[in-house]
Amino acid sequence: RAGARGAAMEPECRVLSIQSHVVRGYVGNKAATFPLQVLGFEVDTVNSVQFSNHTGYAHWKGQVLNSDELHELYEGLKLNKVNRYDYVLTGYTRDTSFLAMVVDIVQELKQQNPNLVYVCDPVMGDKWNGEGSMYVPKDLLPVYRDKVVPVADIITPNQFEAELLTGRKIYTEKDALEVMDMLHAMGPETVVITSSDLQAPLGNDYLIALGSHRKTKADGTRITQRIRVESPKVDAVFVGTGDLFAAMLLAWTHKHPNNLKVACEKTVSAMQHVLQRTIKSAKVQAGEGNKPNSAHLELRMVQSKKDIENPEIIVKATVL
């Protein structure tokens, strides 16, 4: 009896997720909400845009939320005294004033709950064939660097974004570890470089991700845990994978707060299950010899419910 009652009393964990929304498909809030709910979190979503579909399709239509509208939604929560959160999660944003408003909200929520954890994916750009380029306006970089990252607790940049934030290039794993230390010094306790063009020990068919968790103990000493994850490359362009990754990392770091290795193994393994199922399904839909299109490559999220909930560990992390 007590066991059943105890399980029911597990404290509610509530996430405020401020991301884009699409009617069709899985990016932004659509990619983050389902996995978080499946893993037991209450998710309150603010849709920074509402589009028919992601912008990788030939056409898209929709509306964009501005910073005043974001503030108004937040005020409504505040008036009802339901603005207490355990986590804030943010992803792709194109607008500096919107981003600045997010920072204001995070700071206010941290005053409400000093233990609040802000998980930020600083989406700014990526590398194609070794060349990095930004796909958001350039003036977002200083806002991320000077305002957002200092209030974030967990950040998930790719290699190019980590380089932008620190002003330092990564050529070797040693460089990457130093860049992660620089990012820790800016504020976040946990840094995961979600993808890089570093050479994987397992070979060219693998992609390296690196993670670093720095904790300051009560006596002021610092412990840093660092890991490398090598996951098989999947030959297709998916959209929404970063959003799914950040959401699952939030969930698994919550469940394994002092074990970045296990949290990353579960996150990356679940990603692999979802991507493998997606590519298989996309090939069937496209038909023999045809290249799958954006609609075919939408993440098979619902079909992957069991893998998200309880991922079989198929990707192992190495402690560095």
Side-chain angles (χ1 to χ4, degrees):
R1 292 275 329 169
R5 207 164 68 234
M9 289 310 293
E10 187 180 325
E12 174 183 283
C13 198
R14 197 170 277 273
V15 180
L16 177 63
S17 182
I18 306 173
Q19 299 194 65
S20 23
H21 170 79
V22 287
V23 177
R24 171 67 186 257
Y26 293 97
V27 298
N29 272 334
K30 282 283 290 285
T33 306
F34 178 72
L36 283 167
Q37 288 172 329
V38 161
L39 289 163
F41 293 78
E42 285 287 350
V43 188
D44 293 2
T45 52
V46 173
N47 297 327
S48 54
V49 307
Q50 168 163 273
F51 285 171
S52 52
N53 44 266
H54 73 67
T55 56
Y57 284 75
H59 310 279
W60 72 91
K61 296 276 185 200
Q63 300 81 37
V64 177
L65 193 75
N66 66 36
S67 55
D68 291 340
E69 291 162 334
L70 168 62
H71 185 250
E72 193 184 348
L73 289 172
Y74 177 69
E75 282 300 306
L77 296 172
K78 205 161 116 180
L79 289 168
N80 290 310
K81 298 188 169 58
V82 289
N83 60 331
R84 190 185 157 85
Y85 290 95
D86 302 287
Y87 286 89
V88 174
L89 174 63
T90 64
Y92 180 73
T93 307
R94 287 194 64 82
D95 181 71
T96 51
S97 63
F98 190 89
L99 201 51
M101 180 61 69
V102 167
V103 172
D104 290 346
I105 290 172
V106 169
Q107 285 174 318
E108 192 170 306
L109 291 173
K110 284 194 170 194
Q111 284 168 349
Q112 291 273 90
N113 173 16
N115 296 321
L116 178 133
V117 173
Y118 173 27
V119 181
C120 169
D121 185 2
V123 183
M124 289 182 284
D126 209 342
K127 289 191 178 186
W128 285 275
N129 309 323
E131 276 304 300
S133 68
M134 286 180 75
Y135 43 58
V136 299
K138 297 245 185 304
D139 56 0
L140 262 80
L141 173 57
V143 183
Y144 271 117
R145 189 186 56 222
D146 305 334
K147 294 192 169 140
V148 181
V149 172
V151 297
D153 301 282
I154 298 177
I155 57 169
T156 58
N158 58 33
Q159 178 181 333
F160 177 61
E161 290 157 348
E163 291 174 342
L164 283 176
L165 288 168
T166 56
R168 179 154 171 205
K169 287 264 190 267
I170 295 173
Y171 300 105
T172 63
E173 189 167 274
K174 185 173 172 290
D175 293 338
L177 298 180
E178 285 167 14
V179 162
M180 289 197 290
D181 283 343
M182 290 168 78
L183 290 166
H184 283 310
M186 291 162 75
E189 240 185 31
T190 303
V191 177
V192 177
I193 297 180
T194 54
S195 63
S196 69
D197 41 26
L198 294 173
Q199 179 63 46
L202 287 173
N204 290 339
D205 298 336
Y206 288 80
L207 199 62
I208 283 194
L210 295 161
S212 179
H213 177 65
R214 174 181 286 180
K215 217 166 176 52
T216 307
K217 295 204 303 206
D219 64 5
T221 55
R222 279 195 190 142
I223 350 171
T224 308
Q225 184 190 15
R226 292 171 164 161
I227 55 141
R228 178 200 314 125
V229 188
E230 298 174 75
S231 49
K233 286 182 183 169
V234 184
D235 185 27
V237 176
F238 300 101
V239 180
T241 47
D243 309 322
L244 174 61
F245 185 96
M248 290 195 300
L249 187 70
L250 182 162
W252 291 118
T253 51
H254 176 77
K255 293 174 194 287
H256 303 282
N258 294 310
N259 197 334
L260 186 62
K261 178 181 191 287
V262 170
C264 285
E265 284 174 346
K266 289 189 175 180
T267 300
V268 176
S269 293
M271 289 290 309
Q272 278 297 316
H273 291 300
V274 174
L275 295 182
Q276 298 298 345
R277 180 173 287 107
T278 301
I279 191 83
K280 223 158 112 182
S281 154
K283 283 176 173 164
V284 171
Q285 289 178 72
E288 195 66 39
N290 298 326
K291 200 171 153 49
N293 64 23
S294 290
H296 299 144
L297 286 165
E298 289 286 6
L299 298 176
R300 306 307 281 172
M301 199 75 83
V302 175
Q303 297 78 359
S304 305
K305 175 178 174 286
K306 288 193 174 74
D307 294 319
I308 291 167
E309 218 167 354
N310 189 13
E312 180 201 338
I313 303 293
I314 52 173
V315 178
K316 282 271 201 258
T318 310
V319 176
L320 300 175

